[in-house]
């Protein structure tokens, strides 16, 4: 097991990464002097796989939320708070989220507002959750107008990343998580790219459990370093948006049902590699390394049929909404530069180039 520490103005917390951690939850809670949780929350898929057995082991109730981006909204928070009230949870209660980013974002936000804030523990069960969503204290839900528009900074008391949960994760979800691993590795630990399995199509079996443990822990360590340096997203944390400007636009342009978030980010990373290379920010070798890492993810959902101008139109509306996103994050040979201006013509030409270079064969 590896243990990382996050320092936070809302309270420091550890991130544990290891195989089979959920089986020794009681010990982890006791050794960490944590308040034992009063309820477990999972989504409909994770509940029978992992959440139910955790609740049973701890002898507490299991709440199910629907899961899915469309249900990550106020009504889920309201329903959870109602159930916690019915179960007589009070201000001193703690709850445990067992699931992917949808579950940890929703439960974390419900914990932030229930009785003006109760403690919560995060047990992420997706690769994306382990290396990204469960770390950093951002919680929230979607509005009809867009994703993650209401939320709170409300970190968990502990993050328990049990690698064993990845054994049931669908290959596509694993690959989407690997795109975020590539992004984070590029920012702060490029040697980590060598650990990424070159055959992710094999899913969990493409790496041994110790390999996953190292991959998750080292990626989480980079995210932790970035958020500690900029907890409230005033500057440096925006580095984590590498690949996300075009990624978000691709998701929006396809009605959020063609790409998993990480798959769209993978295309976005390729785009910024090309943009940065053209500007001389990224060397030939750097560009080849970054694009090579994305290529290990295999075939992504296609972009060849999309109209580049329509896709880039979504970038403008995304930027308008996100006051912090004044510019793009572009990769350099040893990290990133934030707030880089990219004009519409450049964006369109990069999308066209990607459509020609990969889109046709995908
Ligand atoms: N708070 C943050 O800083 C932050 C950062 C990144 C992403 N996010 C949010 O995270 C969400 C995406 O998270 P995600 O990719 O984990 O998606 P998710 O929670 O929807 O999980 C993906 C799918 O995998 C299933 N699943 C989860 N764990 C499983 C397991 N072990 N075995 C089998 N199936 C499993 C889920 O039921 C779901 O169908 C988005 O809403 C995004 O906005 C938040
Ligand atoms: Zn992302």
């Amino acid at each position: 097991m590896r243990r990382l520490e996050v320092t936070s103005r809302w309270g420091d917390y550890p991130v544990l990464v290891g195989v089979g951690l959920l089986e020794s939850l009681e010990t982890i809670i006791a050794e960490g002097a944590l308040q034992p949780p009063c309820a477990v929350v999972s989504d409909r898929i994770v509940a029978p796989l992992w959440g139910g057995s955790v609740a049973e082991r701890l002898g507490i109730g299991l709440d199910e939320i629907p899961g899915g981006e469309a249900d990550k909204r106020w009504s889920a928070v309201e329903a959870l708070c109602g159930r916690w009230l019915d179960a007589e949870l009070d201000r001193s209660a703690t709850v445990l989220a067992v699931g992917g980013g949808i579950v940890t974002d929703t439960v974390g936000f419900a914990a932030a507002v229930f009785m003006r804030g109760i403690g919560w523990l995060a047990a992420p069960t997706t690769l994306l959750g382990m290396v990204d969503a469960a770390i950093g204290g951002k919680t929230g839900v979607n509005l009809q107008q867009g994703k993650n528009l209401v939320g709170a900074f409300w970190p968990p008391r502990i993050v328990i990343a049990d690698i064993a949960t990845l054994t049931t994760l669908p290959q596509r979800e694993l690959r989407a998580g690997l795109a975020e691993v590539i992004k984070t590795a590029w920012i702060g630990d490029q040697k980590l790219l060598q650990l990424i399995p070159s055959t992710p199509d094999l899913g969990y079996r493409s790496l041994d459990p110790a390999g996953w443990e190292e991959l998750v822990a080292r990626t989480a360590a980079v995210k932790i370093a970035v958020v500690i340096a900029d907890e409230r997203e005033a500057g440096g944390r925006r580095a984590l948006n590498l690949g996300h400007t075009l990624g978000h636009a691709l998701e929006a342009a396809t009605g959020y049902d063609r790409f998993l978030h990480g798959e769209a980010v993978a295309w976005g990373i390729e785009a910024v590699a090309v943009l940065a290379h053209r500007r001389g920010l990224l060397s030939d070798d750097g560009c080849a390394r970054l694009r090579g890492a994305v290529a290990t993810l295999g075939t992504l959902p296609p972009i060849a049929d999309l109209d580049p101008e329509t896709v880039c139109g979504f970038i403008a509306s995304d930027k308008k909404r996100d006051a912090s996103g004044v510019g793009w994050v572009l990769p350099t040979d040893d990290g990133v530069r934030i707030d880089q201006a990219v004009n519409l013509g450049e964006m369109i030409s990069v999308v066209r180039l990607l459509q020609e270079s990969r889109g046709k064969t995908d």
Side-chain angles (χ1 to χ4, degrees):
M1 187 193 71
R2 294 168 194 237
R3 183 190 169 99
L4 310 163
E5 301 288 341
V6 188
T7 53
S8 162
R9 71 178 76 186
W10 291 278
D12 301 350
Y13 56 98
V15 175
L16 310 184
V17 183
V19 183
L21 296 183
L22 290 179
E23 284 175 21
S24 45
L25 251 186
E26 300 96 318
T27 316
I28 290 171
I29 288 167
E31 283 179 357
L34 296 161
Q35 165 112 21
C38 306
V40 175
V41 185
S42 280
D43 69 24
R44 283 192 189 124
I45 293 173
V46 181
L49 291 169
W50 303 99
S53 56
V54 166
E56 213 168 286
R57 176 183 297 278
L58 297 176
I60 55 178
L62 173 71
D63 290 320
E64 262 182 47
I65 57 173
E69 205 64 63
D71 287 304
K72 189 179 120 176
R73 52 193 170 112
W74 277 115
S75 54
V77 175
E78 192 176 354
L80 267 182
C81 291
R83 271 180 262 161
W84 292 342
L85 211 58
D86 290 346
E88 297 182 354
L89 267 60
D90 62 21
R91 216 167 271 184
S92 66
T94 298
V95 293
L96 168 63
V98 180
I102 301 261
V103 173
T104 52
D105 270 13
T106 311
V107 174
F109 185 47
V113 295
F114 184 72
M115 303 273 174
R116 297 194 180 80
I118 60 169
W120 70 290
L121 319 177
T125 61
T126 60
L127 181 57
L128 185 140
M130 293 179 188
V131 301
D132 197 353
I135 297 172
K138 286 207 283 181
T139 68
V141 294
N142 304 326
L143 293 182
Q144 233 160 21
Q145 289 88 336
K147 284 179 66 174
N148 301 322
L149 291 178
V150 284
F153 285 97
W154 192 248
R157 302 261 162 91
I158 190 169
V159 178
I160 302 155
D162 184 349
I163 297 298
T165 61
L166 299 180
T167 55
T168 59
L169 192 66
Q171 285 177 19
R172 222 182 135 191
E173 295 289 349
L174 202 65
R175 188 177 66 178
L178 284 172
E180 298 282 3
V181 171
I182 291 170
K183 169 202 82 175
T184 313
W186 194 265
I187 294 167
D189 183 0
Q190 293 190 359
K191 288 203 179 112
L192 187 52
L193 295 175
Q194 293 157 8
L195 264 185
I196 292 177
S198 54
T199 50
D201 281 353
L202 287 174
Y204 181 75
R205 283 174 298 132
S206 56
L207 210 61
D208 60 19
W212 283 114
E213 186 178 303
E214 182 172 0
L215 190 84
V216 169
R218 282 174 57 182
T219 310
V222 174
K223 169 136 191 195
I224 290 169
V226 172
V227 299
I228 286 178
D230 177 23
E231 196 170 14
R232 293 213 57 159
E233 211 164 26
R237 190 160 172 169
R238 294 212 292 273
L240 295 166
N241 286 337
L242 181 69
H244 281 59
T245 307
L246 181 66
H248 285 152
L250 288 172
E251 287 182 278
T254 50
Y256 293 92
D257 65 21
R258 178 180 302 189
F259 304 98
L260 294 179
H261 171 69
E263 293 171 335
V265 168
W267 278 116
I269 296 173
E270 281 224 58
V272 286
V274 173
L275 276 169
H277 184 242
R278 281 185 181 170
R279 289 182 178 199
L281 282 174
L282 194 61
S283 66
D284 292 349
D285 170 61
C287 187
R289 277 192 302 123
L290 187 49
R291 292 191 74 180
V294 176
T296 63
L297 301 180
T299 306
L300 299 167
I303 59 167
D305 59 318
L306 303 177
D307 171 34
E309 294 188 23
T310 310
V311 171
C312 294
F314 280 94
I315 294 175
S317 59
D318 197 38
K319 292 276 172 226
K320 226 180 282 163
R321 190 175 301 131
D322 179 9
S324 66
V326 287
W328 287 55
V329 182
L330 294 182
T332 62
D333 276 358
D334 57 1
V336 293
R337 291 234 186 118
I338 61 172
D339 288 344
Q340 302 294 298
V342 176
N343 68 40
L344 188 65
E346 286 175 283
M347 290 178 211
I348 291 174
S349 89
V350 164
V351 174
R352 287 218 174 95
L353 184 125
L354 293 183
Q355 288 179 317
E356 281 156 20
S357 65
R358 267 185 71 162
K360 279 189 188 139
T361 52
D362 283 346

